[in-house]
Amino acid sequence: MTEENEMAAENAAESSPTHSGFVALIGPTNAGKSTLVNRLVGAKVSIVSHKVQTTRAIVRGIAIHNNAQIVFMDTPGIFKPRRRLDRAMVTSAWGGAKDADFIMLLIDSERGLRGDAEAILEGLKNVPQPKLLALNKVDRVNRESLLALAAAANEKIAFEQTFMISAENGSGCDDVMDYLAKTLPEGPWYYPEDQISDLPMRQLAAEITREKLFLRLHQELPYSSHVETEKWEERKDGSVRIEQVIYVERDSQKKIALGKGGETIKAISSASRRELSEILEQPVHLFLFVKVRENWGDDPERFREMGLDFPR
Ligand SMILES: Nc1nc2c(ncn2[C@@H]2O[C@H](COP(=O)(O)OP(=O)(O)OP(=O)(O)O)[C@@H](O)[C@H]2O)c(=O)[nH]1
Ligand SMILES: [Mg+2]
């Protein structure tokens, strides 16, 4: 920004009122909700993977656009729950919708209304807030099928606005921000100007490691594991020592997570460490420990750590 522009922006901020509010992003798992939040915030606040059920609890990503502070709530994908953790994730997603000024339903344009999208549209009928539709992954489909999808979804729910976007390459994302910035209620900002997320650093660090685990491990393993940061020690030389525990449910899973000669855990650790040093802008010494805890999926304490209510 040139100096002149900067002054103009400052003057505008002084003369026109600020807007702020919460936008809950909900949708089927894998629709691209977390990718979109990261894109709109302009930084990584929520982890992303090609696997389903990556996000486990609500993450708030905070963006500023024109005079508005827009708080995006990235929620776990909504699907038919089986385990206790699944139930807690889906409950948390719908709970996030309750607190929002706007609900934005994100749909993978390629998948369309197949699978869970249909049931979510049905569930949205009971939600009172204004609703927006975002058809994501437009880079994957042609215009005709997009228009047909927009029409089909709008037939079920009267959306205030339909956006066609690609969270991956950013196409259409400015329209979303322009719309929200002017439509959210007038009011003071909720968070300090430089805050981009509500996630404490220790938790984000655990999430980054969990992302690498989702990318590296397969079948049931990502779903049977959970990561917690146990120690965080700032060192005099400007580096940080981080110790994390990866909980798995069985000894056989621990073996796979470690890999032959510790190969797998080493790869996970170095990928996570690299990203953490980038985010923290300091050297990171990362130590990962794999522990078997058979019933972590039924342990209320683990749910609390994740920011989830424990369903009875
Ligand atoms: N081609 C394409 N892929 C995308 C786009 N947005 C997201 N993806 C990919 O879709 C996959 C799922 O993305 P996520 O952001 O993790 O999806 P999510 O909705 O948060 O998924 P859950 O947290 O599991 O509910 C990842 O592989 C992304 O790279 C897009 O606009 N175009
Ligand atoms: Mg997600």
Side-chain angles (χ1 to χ4, degrees):
M1 214 188 252
T2 65
E3 218 167 287
E4 232 165 76
N5 279 346
E6 231 166 77
M7 280 187 40
E10 263 172 37
N11 287 341
E14 269 168 31
S15 55
S16 49
T18 56
H19 292 241
S20 59
F22 290 81
V23 180
L25 276 177
I26 70 161
T29 176
N30 214 40
K33 301 177 292 299
S34 302
T35 309
L36 181 61
V37 169
N38 293 340
R39 158 76 54 189
L40 299 179
V41 169
K44 173 128 159 208
V45 295
S46 194
I47 64 169
V48 167
S49 89
H50 56 289
K51 294 196 170 72
V52 297
Q53 298 160 33
T54 304
T55 304
R56 287 187 176 160
I58 291 176
V59 176
R60 294 196 177 90
I62 306 156
I64 291 171
H65 189 71
N66 302 335
N67 284 326
Q69 186 177 58
I70 310 167
V71 186
F72 292 99
M73 297 156 87
D74 183 19
T75 68
I78 296 171
F79 58 101
K80 268 206 206 84
R82 288 181 298 126
R83 306 167 303 165
R84 194 194 291 268
L85 176 60
D86 301 346
R87 266 193 287 143
M89 284 159 59
V90 172
T91 307
S92 131
W94 283 115
K98 263 203 321 263
D99 300 332
D101 295 284
F102 276 99
I103 313 290
M104 182 178 276
L105 171 64
L106 200 66
I107 290 183
D108 176 340
S109 307
E110 207 173 25
R111 280 194 68 95
L113 299 185
R114 276 171 295 166
D116 298 306
E118 188 93 51
I120 299 171
L121 276 167
E122 219 30 64
L124 272 179
K125 290 185 178 157
N126 305 319
V127 177
Q129 289 99 322
K131 293 162 201 78
L132 308 170
L133 176 65
L135 303 180
N136 189 33
K137 311 195 187 181
V138 300
D139 50 292
R140 291 263 189 87
V141 292
N142 62 40
R143 183 133 189 101
E144 290 78 64
S145 64
L146 264 181
L147 294 175
L149 178 56
N154 275 281
E155 225 169 77
K156 311 232 176 217
I157 295 253
F159 288 100
E160 308 275 318
Q161 196 76 235
T162 298
F163 300 96
M164 298 179 183
I165 63 167
S166 168
E168 191 122 298
N169 70 23
S171 121
C173 290
D174 282 345
D175 297 342
V176 173
M177 293 300 266
D178 288 342
Y179 177 87
L180 290 172
K182 66 170 196 274
T183 319
L184 281 172
E186 273 182 26
W189 291 358
Y190 290 95
Y191 294 93
E193 202 174 329
D194 55 357
Q195 190 170 342
I196 55 168
S197 160
D198 68 331
L199 216 55
M201 221 36 241
R202 289 172 74 107
Q203 223 167 315
L204 178 62
E207 284 287 273
I208 299 287
T209 299
R210 196 165 64 79
E211 180 186 80
K212 307 312 169 210
L213 215 132
F214 258 64
L215 297 173
R216 274 268 165 182
L217 302 176
H218 304 293
Q219 281 144 11
E220 91 289 0
L221 238 166
Y223 306 101
S224 307
S225 51
H226 163 61
V227 183
E228 285 180 21
T229 301
E230 299 259 293
K231 243 192 204 154
W232 189 288
E233 196 182 277
E234 297 288 344
R235 293 215 172 139
K236 281 205 194 81
D237 63 3
S239 68
V240 58
R241 179 191 166 99
I242 303 172
E243 293 182 13
Q244 295 180 328
V245 178
I246 300 172
Y247 291 106
V248 294
E249 289 170 334
R250 286 191 298 279
D251 212 43
S252 57
Q253 294 173 333
K254 178 174 170 171
K255 280 204 191 88
I256 301 172
L258 293 174
K260 224 189 263 151
E263 222 167 55
T264 308
I265 193 78
K266 258 184 230 153
I268 291 172
S269 177
S270 84
S272 180
R273 184 184 52 74
R274 226 173 301 132
E275 187 164 340
L276 284 171
S277 358
E278 243 169 64
I279 295 177
L280 294 166
E281 297 176 329
Q282 69 187 122
V284 170
H285 309 280
L286 178 63
F287 298 85
L288 298 182
F289 305 91
V290 184
K291 284 191 189 163
V292 179
R293 191 171 281 181
E294 252 170 54
N295 48 3
W296 72 258
D298 291 308
D299 176 0
E301 182 56 35
R302 307 277 78 76
F303 283 64
R304 229 183 337 267
E305 272 286 330
M306 284 184 248
L308 290 172
D309 284 332
F310 185 71
R312 298 283 156 191

